[in-house]
Amino acid sequence: MPNLRTASFVLAALVLPGLVLPGLQAQVPVKDAAELRKQLDRLQVVGSVLYVAAHPDDENTGLLAALSKGRNLRTAYLAITRGGGGQNLIGPELGDGLAAIRTQELLAARRIDGAEQFFTSAVDFGFSKTAAESLRIWNHDRVLGDVVRTIRAFRPDVIITRFPPDERAGHGHHTASAMLAIEAFKAAADPARYPEQIQAGLRPWQATRLLWNHFRFSDDAPKPAPGSLRFQVGSYDPLLGRSYGELAAESRSQHRSQGFGVLAQRGEREESFELLAGKPAREDLFDGVDLAWSRFKGTEKVAEALKETRAANPVDRPGSLRPWLLRALRELRALPADLQREPLIQAKTAEVEEALRMALGLWVEAIADRQQVSPGGPLTVNAAVLPRSGEPLSLQSLRLEAVGPQGVQTLEDRADGQALADNTPRKAAFTLTLPKDTRLTQPHWLGGPGAAAWAGLPESPAPLRLRVRLASPSAPADAFDVCVPVQYRFRDPVLGERYQPLAVVPPALVALGDPVLVFEGAGAKPLRLKIVAGAAGATGRVRLPAPKGWQVEPAEQPFQLRQMGEERELAFRVTPPAGTASAELRPEVDAGSGFAPARSLLKLDHPHIPLQTLLPEVKVRLERFDLKHNGHRIGYVMGAGDEIPQALRRIGYEVELLSDEALAREDLARFDAIVLGIRAYNTRPALLSLKDRLHAYVAAGGTEVVLYTVNTGFPDINAAMVTDAIGPYPFKVGRKRITDETVPVRFLQPGHSVFHWPNELTARDFEGWIQERSLYHAEGWDARYTPLLGMADPGEAADNGALIVAQHGKGTYVYTGLAFFRQLPDGVPGATRLFANLLALGHAHD
């Protein structure tokens, strides 16, 4: 998890005396004696490095681990985006939901490799072929300002990019990330650039050098040019019992949504670097950089105290380090105010406090009696403080705090002053009514509270936290604080003890059965929604303001819910205009404080990351267009996960999800068409043998539609295809994609039934598509396939592999890279009509 020492330069109100544990949202375990020794080693080194790339999973985890764990440098990764424009191998989440997952995957990776994590405000809008497009869509000046702010706040000695600033980067986002780093390297040192940051308290900063970390994704990749800087990342660390390559593999394997589980590399491995800006280096990345405390005048006593602490480290009695660590903390607090504002000094202060907690075996927790609460609702927080070192320690106070963008509010402060018994928990219960102005737990980067105050941080701080003040009985003036987030703890019958972040939600939530309502004619349709009580005794009204030309009846309805979690379904009728139309319906809720946009509750629960609670505003897309379909019974072979089955059901299809057993044993002839969802051939190993049964189904007269799969070319990563023979005749899955969803599309076979039955298609059916047109096209296909669509991104040659069909026996086989997984769930009319025609190919000549 990120730590509040990284937050300190963003929100001054969070820079409070004392230890803030490195979890904004999660409980942090006490580490062992070997980790304590690593922490003491780290305290001797005063230097920092910032790594810059475009997406989650772009970072070089081997280099991050070697810099953080090996060289003991403060190390951070700045990801320009959160990766919401990519695909998802572990579920149906896309967009904001995927961005939340990938943010947490980065934080899971950082907990392993020891680096910190930052972001800019740029949104991942999908694959981009040019840096110019990326910078235009991101808003170059704003995102450059984000990078400049991070550099000025973090003040790295060295900055490293993952990618070069040219087409070798292979992706417009990649190239743009390097270009931004180069520009920010100079702009961060210029007080005339982004002067509002200077006025807010940041200072100009000139890093010593900017380097490009050559990327070599295989051992047979081209060797770096002579004279390149080299850095060993394969060393073994006896304290960790692992090499940095092994740490790197575990770290990188946290990117599960992208299928980036990797094998560990053991043995020597070098990274190489090329100077992009700044002072050249001859031997080492940090040539000419003072990495000792001597870089800061007046810190001699701090350096001496930390050196003596390291020398005194007893592995079997770490608690005896308490006097040395308290002395180091005292010397740090005695530094002049200007030095205490230095990010490196702040980081080292937090590291001393964390070492103190480790040495004392100190466990502090704050456990809520429920996972979900609403402003104004009741809450009990059970606190416990447990020292386990045998060293005397007294508890001075317990303070429950609410954390908001404007600062920290004390909810209850209890003095204590009593000695703590070793290995015996001191418990206390706080029973309170949550203030009505407590912020909701919508992430700040998704429009929740704190968008400005916490800009650049990976996640918002927990809404509530416990601050515990402790001291040595012999030196009460040397008190130190430990802060932990308030969390919910429960027993999972399989996984055991689990923690979840406390979620603050509205008193009344709205759940939609379907966020899209499609009208195939002029008749009205019901819209059903559920009101869900986020708190007991939720009462109020729901209204649906009708878009122009549409009618909603009734306009509003009351609700009354007695218990938290209670649901009530409300039915409305929506009447469309007479002709083709699109609109958006935004429900509003009044739960006693006036009408406000309705919010839904979206929980992202995956075992490798903490539970994520999102509170998106409720929106219903309304689409009125002509739609016909023939062939109603569809079998669906789910792949990595998508929402196409729900999209098909909403327009009248019967969709049955097919297991491997069903594919192997059941009569497939009962289906009018069978669809293989996105990346099915990456995620369903049984298809290696079951593909033959699918092709036999086609030969007997069925229709098989295969949505895109990914051929990585690397059999050990990204869930390689289970077989290359996915069609009845040979073809290959390539890497070609059309990223501009607005480009015109040519009908290569205008007379083909796919363009005429049951829906008559025109060029207008390719308008209004979202994010991207097509990806992972077919190539090298057998002559028995017919390509149907031609398209090209601006400035590129046309490609015909987005949609190919073949007659096989009595039936039809289809492979398509068209981005139906984005279009159909969003109700895009033309894409829906085209897909209906594909499903009807088996009936085109009935």
Side-chain angles (χ1 to χ4, degrees), residues 163-189:
F163 301 105
D166 52 44
E167 66 279 357
R168 290 174 295 172
H171 188 316
H173 295 179
H174 295 171
T175 306
S177 71
M179 295 170 65
L180 288 166
I182 291 171
E183 192 172 355
F185 178 79
K186 296 180 180 179

PDB file of all heavy atoms in Angstrom, residues 163-189:
ATOM      1  N   PHE A 163      10.675   3.761 -21.484  1.00  0.00           N
ATOM      2  CA  PHE A 163      10.594   3.764 -22.937  1.00  0.00           C
ATOM      3  C   PHE A 163      11.409   4.905 -23.536  1.00  0.00           C
ATOM      4  O   PHE A 163      11.633   5.937 -22.880  1.00  0.00           O
ATOM      5  CB  PHE A 163       9.140   3.890 -23.384  1.00  0.00           C
ATOM      6  CG  PHE A 163       8.279   2.775 -22.880  1.00  0.00           C
ATOM      7  CD1 PHE A 163       7.382   2.982 -21.838  1.00  0.00           C
ATOM      8  CD2 PHE A 163       8.374   1.500 -23.414  1.00  0.00           C
ATOM      9  CE1 PHE A 163       6.593   1.960 -21.359  1.00  0.00           C
ATOM     10  CE2 PHE A 163       7.594   0.458 -22.935  1.00  0.00           C
ATOM     11  CZ  PHE A 163       6.698   0.685 -21.906  1.00  0.00           C
ATOM     12  N   PRO A 164      11.791   4.759 -24.797  1.00  0.00           N
ATOM     13  CA  PRO A 164      12.449   5.855 -25.505  1.00  0.00           C
ATOM     14  C   PRO A 164      11.396   6.824 -26.048  1.00  0.00           C
ATOM     15  O   PRO A 164      10.226   6.449 -26.208  1.00  0.00           O
ATOM     16  CB  PRO A 164      13.179   5.146 -26.656  1.00  0.00           C
ATOM     17  CG  PRO A 164      12.303   3.967 -26.954  1.00  0.00           C
ATOM     18  CD  PRO A 164      11.729   3.530 -25.628  1.00  0.00           C
ATOM     19  N   PRO A 165      11.789   8.048 -26.372  1.00  0.00           N
ATOM     20  CA  PRO A 165      10.807   9.038 -26.816  1.00  0.00           C
ATOM     21  C   PRO A 165      10.541   8.982 -28.313  1.00  0.00           C
ATOM     22  O   PRO A 165      10.422  10.024 -28.972  1.00  0.00           O
ATOM     23  CB  PRO A 165      11.480  10.353 -26.416  1.00  0.00           C
ATOM     24  CG  PRO A 165      12.933  10.073 -26.576  1.00  0.00           C
ATOM     25  CD  PRO A 165      13.124   8.633 -26.179  1.00  0.00           C
ATOM     26  N   ASP A 166      10.449   7.796 -28.881  1.00  0.00           N
ATOM     27  CA  ASP A 166      10.228   7.666 -30.317  1.00  0.00           C
ATOM     28  C   ASP A 166       9.442   6.393 -30.593  1.00  0.00           C
ATOM     29  O   ASP A 166       8.978   5.723 -29.670  1.00  0.00           O
ATOM     30  CB  ASP A 166      11.560   7.674 -31.077  1.00  0.00           C
ATOM     31  CG  ASP A 166      12.561   6.659 -30.543  1.00  0.00           C
ATOM     32  OD1 ASP A 166      12.146   5.507 -30.271  1.00  0.00           O
ATOM     33  OD2 ASP A 166      13.754   6.998 -30.379  1.00  0.00           O
ATOM     34  N   GLU A 167       9.313   6.050 -31.891  1.00  0.00           N
ATOM     35  CA  GLU A 167       8.451   4.938 -32.283  1.00  0.00           C
ATOM     36  C   GLU A 167       8.924   3.588 -31.768  1.00  0.00           C
ATOM     37  O   GLU A 167       8.160   2.614 -31.751  1.00  0.00           O
ATOM     38  CB  GLU A 167       8.330   4.882 -33.810  1.00  0.00           C
ATOM     39  CG  GLU A 167       9.610   4.553 -34.559  1.00  0.00           C
ATOM     40  CD  GLU A 167      10.516   5.762 -34.744  1.00  0.00           C
ATOM     41  OE1 GLU A 167      10.104   6.883 -34.336  1.00  0.00           O
ATOM     42  OE2 GLU A 167      11.617   5.596 -35.288  1.00  0.00           O
ATOM     43  N   ARG A 168      10.156   3.486 -31.299  1.00  0.00           N
ATOM     44  CA  ARG A 168      10.617   2.227 -30.732  1.00  0.00           C
ATOM     45  C   ARG A 168       9.818   1.825 -29.499  1.00  0.00           C
ATOM     46  O   ARG A 168       9.813   0.649 -29.113  1.00  0.00           O
ATOM     47  CB  ARG A 168      12.101   2.315 -30.377  1.00  0.00           C
ATOM     48  CG  ARG A 168      13.043   2.383 -31.556  1.00  0.00           C
ATOM     49  CD  ARG A 168      14.474   2.613 -31.085  1.00  0.00           C
ATOM     50  NE  ARG A 168      14.632   3.917 -30.443  1.00  0.00           N
ATOM     51  CZ  ARG A 168      15.738   4.317 -29.804  1.00  0.00           C
ATOM     52  NH1 ARG A 168      16.776   3.495 -29.735  1.00  0.00           N
ATOM     53  NH2 ARG A 168      15.801   5.512 -29.269  1.00  0.00           N
ATOM     54  N   ALA A 169       9.141   2.772 -28.889  1.00  0.00           N
ATOM     55  CA  ALA A 169       8.357   2.478 -27.685  1.00  0.00           C
ATOM     56  C   ALA A 169       7.151   1.590 -27.992  1.00  0.00           C
ATOM     57  O   ALA A 169       6.614   0.932 -27.097  1.00  0.00           O
ATOM     58  CB  ALA A 169       7.899   3.770 -27.024  1.00  0.00           C
ATOM     59  N   GLY A 170       6.667   1.582 -29.256  1.00  0.00           N
ATOM     60  CA  GLY A 170       5.641   0.641 -29.667  1.00  0.00           C
ATOM     61  C   GLY A 170       4.216   0.986 -29.308  1.00  0.00           C
ATOM     62  O   GLY A 170       3.305   0.221 -29.607  1.00  0.00           O
ATOM     63  N   HIS A 171       3.976   2.103 -28.675  1.00  0.00           N
ATOM     64  CA  HIS A 171       2.628   2.485 -28.216  1.00  0.00           C
ATOM     65  C   HIS A 171       2.681   3.989 -27.991  1.00  0.00           C
ATOM     66  O   HIS A 171       3.636   4.506 -27.396  1.00  0.00           O
ATOM     67  CB  HIS A 171       2.316   1.733 -26.925  1.00  0.00           C
ATOM     68  CG  HIS A 171       0.907   1.844 -26.414  1.00  0.00           C
ATOM     69  ND1 HIS A 171       0.200   3.025 -26.365  1.00  0.00           N
ATOM     70  CD2 HIS A 171       0.056   0.906 -25.895  1.00  0.00           C
ATOM     71  CE1 HIS A 171      -0.992   2.821 -25.847  1.00  0.00           C
ATOM     72  NE2 HIS A 171      -1.105   1.518 -25.559  1.00  0.00           N
ATOM     73  N   GLY A 172       1.666   4.698 -28.452  1.00  0.00           N
ATOM     74  CA  GLY A 172       1.659   6.151 -28.275  1.00  0.00           C
ATOM     75  C   GLY A 172       1.781   6.584 -26.832  1.00  0.00           C
ATOM     76  O   GLY A 172       2.454   7.568 -26.518  1.00  0.00           O
ATOM     77  N   HIS A 173       1.134   5.841 -25.923  1.00  0.00           N
ATOM     78  CA  HIS A 173       1.243   6.170 -24.500  1.00  0.00           C
ATOM     79  C   HIS A 173       2.686   5.997 -24.017  1.00  0.00           C
ATOM     80  O   HIS A 173       3.183   6.798 -23.220  1.00  0.00           O
ATOM     81  CB  HIS A 173       0.334   5.271 -23.666  1.00  0.00           C
ATOM     82  CG  HIS A 173      -1.127   5.462 -23.915  1.00  0.00           C
ATOM     83  ND1 HIS A 173      -2.084   4.725 -23.262  1.00  0.00           N
ATOM     84  CD2 HIS A 173      -1.805   6.290 -24.747  1.00  0.00           C
ATOM     85  CE1 HIS A 173      -3.283   5.089 -23.668  1.00  0.00           C
ATOM     86  NE2 HIS A 173      -3.136   6.038 -24.576  1.00  0.00           N
ATOM     87  N   HIS A 174       3.338   4.930 -24.483  1.00  0.00           N
ATOM     88  CA  HIS A 174       4.724   4.683 -24.072  1.00  0.00           C
ATOM     89  C   HIS A 174       5.625   5.833 -24.506  1.00  0.00           C
ATOM     90  O   HIS A 174       6.404   6.376 -23.709  1.00  0.00           O
ATOM     91  CB  HIS A 174       5.230   3.382 -24.705  1.00  0.00           C
ATOM     92  CG  HIS A 174       4.527   2.157 -24.229  1.00  0.00           C
ATOM     93  ND1 HIS A 174       4.710   0.918 -24.816  1.00  0.00           N
ATOM     94  CD2 HIS A 174       3.639   1.964 -23.216  1.00  0.00           C
ATOM     95  CE1 HIS A 174       3.970   0.029 -24.189  1.00  0.00           C
ATOM     96  NE2 HIS A 174       3.305   0.630 -23.216  1.00  0.00           N
ATOM     97  N   THR A 175       5.520   6.184 -25.778  1.00  0.00           N
ATOM     98  CA  THR A 175       6.351   7.272 -26.300  1.00  0.00           C
ATOM     99  C   THR A 175       6.064   8.569 -25.552  1.00  0.00           C
ATOM    100  O   THR A 175       6.985   9.290 -25.166  1.00  0.00           O
ATOM    101  CB  THR A 175       6.084   7.462 -27.802  1.00  0.00           C
ATOM    102  OG1 THR A 175       6.270   6.218 -28.479  1.00  0.00           O
ATOM    103  CG2 THR A 175       7.013   8.495 -28.394  1.00  0.00           C
ATOM    104  N   ALA A 176       4.787   8.850 -25.344  1.00  0.00           N
ATOM    105  CA  ALA A 176       4.410  10.094 -24.668  1.00  0.00           C
ATOM    106  C   ALA A 176       4.946  10.141 -23.244  1.00  0.00           C
ATOM    107  O   ALA A 176       5.323  11.215 -22.751  1.00  0.00           O
ATOM    108  CB  ALA A 176       2.892  10.246 -24.669  1.00  0.00           C
ATOM    109  N   SER A 177       4.988   8.988 -22.556  1.00  0.00           N
ATOM    110  CA  SER A 177       5.496   8.991 -21.173  1.00  0.00           C
ATOM    111  C   SER A 177       6.954   9.431 -21.139  1.00  0.00           C
ATOM    112  O   SER A 177       7.370  10.176 -20.239  1.00  0.00           O
ATOM    113  CB  SER A 177       5.334   7.607 -20.535  1.00  0.00           C
ATOM    114  OG  SER A 177       6.225   6.650 -21.088  1.00  0.00           O
ATOM    115  N   ALA A 178       7.753   8.982 -22.121  1.00  0.00           N
ATOM    116  CA  ALA A 178       9.159   9.389 -22.173  1.00  0.00           C
ATOM    117  C   ALA A 178       9.283  10.865 -22.539  1.00  0.00           C
ATOM    118  O   ALA A 178      10.117  11.593 -21.978  1.00  0.00           O
ATOM    119  CB  ALA A 178       9.914   8.518 -23.171  1.00  0.00           C
ATOM    120  N   MET A 179       8.458  11.321 -23.469  1.00  0.00           N
ATOM    121  CA  MET A 179       8.494  12.728 -23.862  1.00  0.00           C
ATOM    122  C   MET A 179       8.138  13.633 -22.684  1.00  0.00           C
ATOM    123  O   MET A 179       8.758  14.689 -22.479  1.00  0.00           O
ATOM    124  CB  MET A 179       7.543  12.962 -25.039  1.00  0.00           C
ATOM    125  CG  MET A 179       7.967  12.238 -26.316  1.00  0.00           C
ATOM    126  SD  MET A 179       6.711  12.285 -27.624  1.00  0.00           S
ATOM    127  CE  MET A 179       6.670  14.042 -27.986  1.00  0.00           C
ATOM    128  N   LEU A 180       7.148  13.232 -21.917  1.00  0.00           N
ATOM    129  CA  LEU A 180       6.767  14.016 -20.741  1.00  0.00           C
ATOM    130  C   LEU A 180       7.890  14.044 -19.711  1.00  0.00           C
ATOM    131  O   LEU A 180       8.160  15.077 -19.091  1.00  0.00           O
ATOM    132  CB  LEU A 180       5.500  13.424 -20.111  1.00  0.00           C
ATOM    133  CG  LEU A 180       4.202  13.640 -20.888  1.00  0.00           C
ATOM    134  CD1 LEU A 180       3.100  12.730 -20.356  1.00  0.00           C
ATOM    135  CD2 LEU A 180       3.758  15.102 -20.812  1.00  0.00           C
ATOM    136  N   ALA A 181       8.564  12.916 -19.511  1.00  0.00           N
ATOM    137  CA  ALA A 181       9.668  12.865 -18.553  1.00  0.00           C
ATOM    138  C   ALA A 181      10.794  13.803 -18.978  1.00  0.00           C
ATOM    139  O   ALA A 181      11.385  14.503 -18.138  1.00  0.00           O
ATOM    140  CB  ALA A 181      10.179  11.435 -18.407  1.00  0.00           C
ATOM    141  N   ILE A 182      11.114  13.817 -20.273  1.00  0.00           N
ATOM    142  CA  ILE A 182      12.189  14.682 -20.767  1.00  0.00           C
ATOM    143  C   ILE A 182      11.824  16.147 -20.566  1.00  0.00           C
ATOM    144  O   ILE A 182      12.646  16.954 -20.094  1.00  0.00           O
ATOM    145  CB  ILE A 182      12.451  14.383 -22.251  1.00  0.00           C
ATOM    146  CG1 ILE A 182      13.073  12.989 -22.409  1.00  0.00           C
ATOM    147  CG2 ILE A 182      13.361  15.439 -22.864  1.00  0.00           C
ATOM    148  CD1 ILE A 182      13.175  12.521 -23.842  1.00  0.00           C
ATOM    149  N   GLU A 183      10.592  16.503 -20.898  1.00  0.00           N
ATOM    150  CA  GLU A 183      10.173  17.896 -20.759  1.00  0.00           C
ATOM    151  C   GLU A 183      10.091  18.295 -19.285  1.00  0.00           C
ATOM    152  O   GLU A 183      10.494  19.395 -18.896  1.00  0.00           O
ATOM    153  CB  GLU A 183       8.824  18.094 -21.444  1.00  0.00           C
ATOM    154  CG  GLU A 183       8.433  19.556 -21.609  1.00  0.00           C
ATOM    155  CD  GLU A 183       7.184  19.752 -22.459  1.00  0.00           C
ATOM    156  OE1 GLU A 183       6.653  18.750 -23.007  1.00  0.00           O
ATOM    157  OE2 GLU A 183       6.737  20.909 -22.577  1.00  0.00           O
ATOM    158  N   ALA A 184       9.576  17.384 -18.444  1.00  0.00           N
ATOM    159  CA  ALA A 184       9.435  17.695 -17.021  1.00  0.00           C
ATOM    160  C   ALA A 184      10.775  17.767 -16.322  1.00  0.00           C
ATOM    161  O   ALA A 184      10.918  18.487 -15.317  1.00  0.00           O
ATOM    162  CB  ALA A 184       8.553  16.643 -16.346  1.00  0.00           C
ATOM    163  N   PHE A 185      11.771  17.043 -16.812  1.00  0.00           N
ATOM    164  CA  PHE A 185      13.112  17.072 -16.225  1.00  0.00           C
ATOM    165  C   PHE A 185      13.621  18.511 -16.156  1.00  0.00           C
ATOM    166  O   PHE A 185      14.212  18.934 -15.147  1.00  0.00           O
ATOM    167  CB  PHE A 185      14.042  16.206 -17.072  1.00  0.00           C
ATOM    168  CG  PHE A 185      15.472  16.168 -16.607  1.00  0.00           C
ATOM    169  CD1 PHE A 185      15.862  15.376 -15.548  1.00  0.00           C
ATOM    170  CD2 PHE A 185      16.443  16.950 -17.241  1.00  0.00           C
ATOM    171  CE1 PHE A 185      17.179  15.339 -15.117  1.00  0.00           C
ATOM    172  CE2 PHE A 185      17.759  16.926 -16.831  1.00  0.00           C
ATOM    173  CZ  PHE A 185      18.131  16.119 -15.764  1.00  0.00           C
ATOM    174  N   LYS A 186      13.376  19.275 -17.205  1.00  0.00           N
ATOM    175  CA  LYS A 186      13.809  20.677 -17.231  1.00  0.00           C
ATOM    176  C   LYS A 186      12.778  21.602 -16.584  1.00  0.00           C
ATOM    177  O   LYS A 186      13.131  22.536 -15.859  1.00  0.00           O
ATOM    178  CB  LYS A 186      14.074  21.106 -18.668  1.00  0.00           C
ATOM    179  CG  LYS A 186      15.230  20.362 -19.339  1.00  0.00           C
ATOM    180  CD  LYS A 186      15.441  20.842 -20.774  1.00  0.00           C
ATOM    181  CE  LYS A 186      16.602  20.103 -21.438  1.00  0.00           C
ATOM    182  NZ  LYS A 186      16.816  20.544 -22.850  1.00  0.00           N
ATOM    183  N   ALA A 187      11.495  21.344 -16.869  1.00  0.00           N
ATOM    184  CA  ALA A 187      10.459  22.250 -16.372  1.00  0.00           C
ATOM    185  C   ALA A 187      10.387  22.265 -14.853  1.00  0.00           C
ATOM    186  O   ALA A 187      10.089  23.302 -14.249  1.00  0.00           O
ATOM    187  CB  ALA A 187       9.107  21.841 -16.952  1.00  0.00           C
ATOM    188  N   ALA A 188      10.675  21.133 -14.215  1.00  0.00           N
ATOM    189  CA  ALA A 188      10.593  21.073 -12.748  1.00  0.00           C
ATOM    190  C   ALA A 188      11.595  22.008 -12.091  1.00  0.00           C
ATOM    191  O   ALA A 188      11.387  22.444 -10.950  1.00  0.00           O
ATOM    192  CB  ALA A 188      10.811  19.640 -12.269  1.00  0.00           C
ATOM    193  N   ALA A 189      12.683  22.319 -12.792  1.00  0.00           N
ATOM    194  CA  ALA A 189      13.714  23.201 -12.229  1.00  0.00           C
ATOM    195  C   ALA A 189      13.452  24.673 -12.525  1.00  0.00           C
ATOM    196  O   ALA A 189      14.177  25.534 -12.019  1.00  0.00           O
ATOM    197  CB  ALA A 189      15.081  22.800 -12.791  1.00  0.00           C
TER     198      ALA A 189
END
